Amino acid sequence: MSDRDFTPNEMMTIAASRALKGDDVCFVGIGAPSAACNVARLTHAPDITLIYESGTIGTAPDVLPLSIGDGELCETAVTTVSVPEMFRYWLQGGRITIGFLGAAQLDRFGNINTTVIGDYDHPKTRLPGGGGAPEIASSAQKIYITMVQSKRGMVDKIDFYTSFGHGEGGDHRRRIGIDTEGPALLITDLAIWEPDPETKEFTVVSLHPGVSREQVQETCGWTVKFADRLDETPAPTALELKTLRDLKARTEAAHKGTAGSGAKKGSKDG
């Protein structure tokens, strides 16, 4: 994509942002999901309600948060509730339309691992863990996932089930009593994927500009299925790119202040 004026990561974030609507109530994960959700808020979905795990409702951060405990979230929220109320009333009460998650490992059925790489008792890498993601994955009306493609991340079998997707596929969610839709969309730096209506296996429905089927397969640990009608993701517009880049620039400037001598946001890590 060297001849294009946007990066694969920018394409991923913008494609993910387009999936959100103004009437969505979205439980936002930190990192790429947060960037996508805030680009949506700043462009085509100004009325979207963004909720973070720390209990901030209707937040409208000027910069991307470092963590769910970032003061920027509370300062710009409509209100902040306790974590128990967030999970019991908002999430488990069915009031969240979209749970937007990232993944360290992902399989073809949308099951997510953010706990360990390798054996649980003797892991190669200990990851940050699930946080609220397991509850989000089961209680939000539907789940969107965003991640950069790699054979290390998109694997045939995840090492640990942190957040349940479609399990073994088909009606597995229903069989174990989960009545929400589950993973409905996967947006990577190369493509857009949707679950097959019957098997629930993620299938590529759109390739990003300049991306080939071979590139998608080379960066995925299972045999990729492509839709019969394969679209091309529309390239980012000038407004979308400017919005994302300005947001990233503000974020970088603010976080440099955190690392310095007690600038505006110096208290966030305390």
Side-chain angles (χ1 to χ4, degrees):
M1 291 193 190
S2 58
D3 60 329
R4 301 182 183 273
D5 61 356
F6 56 88
T7 67
N9 268 9
E10 287 176 330
M11 182 72 260
M12 174 178 69
T13 302
I14 288 167
S17 76
R18 293 169 178 165
L20 297 167
K21 307 184 299 297
D23 60 354
D24 276 325
V25 178
C26 188
F27 211 127
V28 187
I30 294 297
S34 184
C37 291
N38 281 286
V39 168
R41 178 180 61 83
L42 292 166
T43 53
H44 67 277
D47 295 326
I48 192 170
T49 301
L50 301 185
I51 294 178
Y52 286 77
E53 190 178 327
S54 51
T56 56
I57 298 172
T59 189
D62 189 52
V63 302
L64 295 175
L66 285 168
S67 72
I68 60 167
D70 197 317
E72 179 75 20
L73 297 176
C74 191
E75 291 165 9
T76 61
V78 173
T79 188
T80 301
V81 301
S82 68
V83 172
E85 180 178 336
M86 167 59 60
F87 279 86
R88 185 66 189 97
Y89 178 83
W90 287 89
L91 183 58
Q92 294 173 330
R95 293 172 173 83
I96 308 297
T97 63
I98 305 292
F100 218 129
L101 301 174
Q105 276 188 339
L106 180 79
D107 70 15
R108 73 188 72 202
F109 297 116
N111 301 299
I112 291 174
N113 172 26
T114 54
T115 302
V116 295
I117 301 299
D119 178 73
Y120 182 82
D121 292 319
H122 305 283
K124 296 177 184 175
T125 304
R126 180 75 67 181
L127 300 171
E135 288 78 14
I136 296 168
S138 61
S139 296
Q141 292 176 26
K142 63 175 64 174
I143 299 298
Y144 294 167
I145 302 166
T146 185
M147 69 182 298
V148 173
Q149 286 199 205
S150 72
K151 283 192 173 179
R152 184 173 63 177
M154 298 175 71
V155 297
D156 188 53
K157 183 175 176 59
I158 58 177
D159 293 332
F160 186 90
Y161 279 74
T162 307
S163 303
F164 193 83
H166 292 291
E168 298 170 355
D171 65 348
H172 197 173
R173 286 177 72 89
R174 301 285 179 185
R175 284 190 282 116
I176 62 173
I178 303 175
D179 59 5
T180 51
E181 184 174 338
L185 195 63
L186 166 64
I187 307 101
T188 72
D189 54 331
L190 301 180
I192 297 174
W193 311 56
E194 293 178 357
D196 179 90
E198 298 298 326
T199 68
K200 301 304 182 183
E201 178 176 343
F202 271 127
T203 303
V204 176
V205 297
S206 181
L207 295 174
H208 298 335
V211 174
S212 68
R213 292 177 182 233
E214 290 73 24
Q215 284 175 284
V216 174
Q217 183 60 78
E218 288 167 1
T219 52
C220 183
W222 64 81
T223 301
V224 177
K225 292 187 177 178
F226 295 88
D228 293 337
R229 178 182 172 181
L230 199 57
D231 294 327
E232 180 178 288
T233 312
T237 65
L239 174 62
E240 288 171 329
L241 276 176
K242 184 177 189 306
T243 301
L244 175 59
R245 290 171 178 174
D246 287 352
L247 178 62
K248 292 287 184 96
R250 292 195 301 272
T251 300
E252 184 178 356
H255 293 166
K256 278 182 178 177
T258 300
S261 55
K264 173 179 176 272
K265 299 186 182 297
S267 63
K268 290 189 297 185
D269 295 330

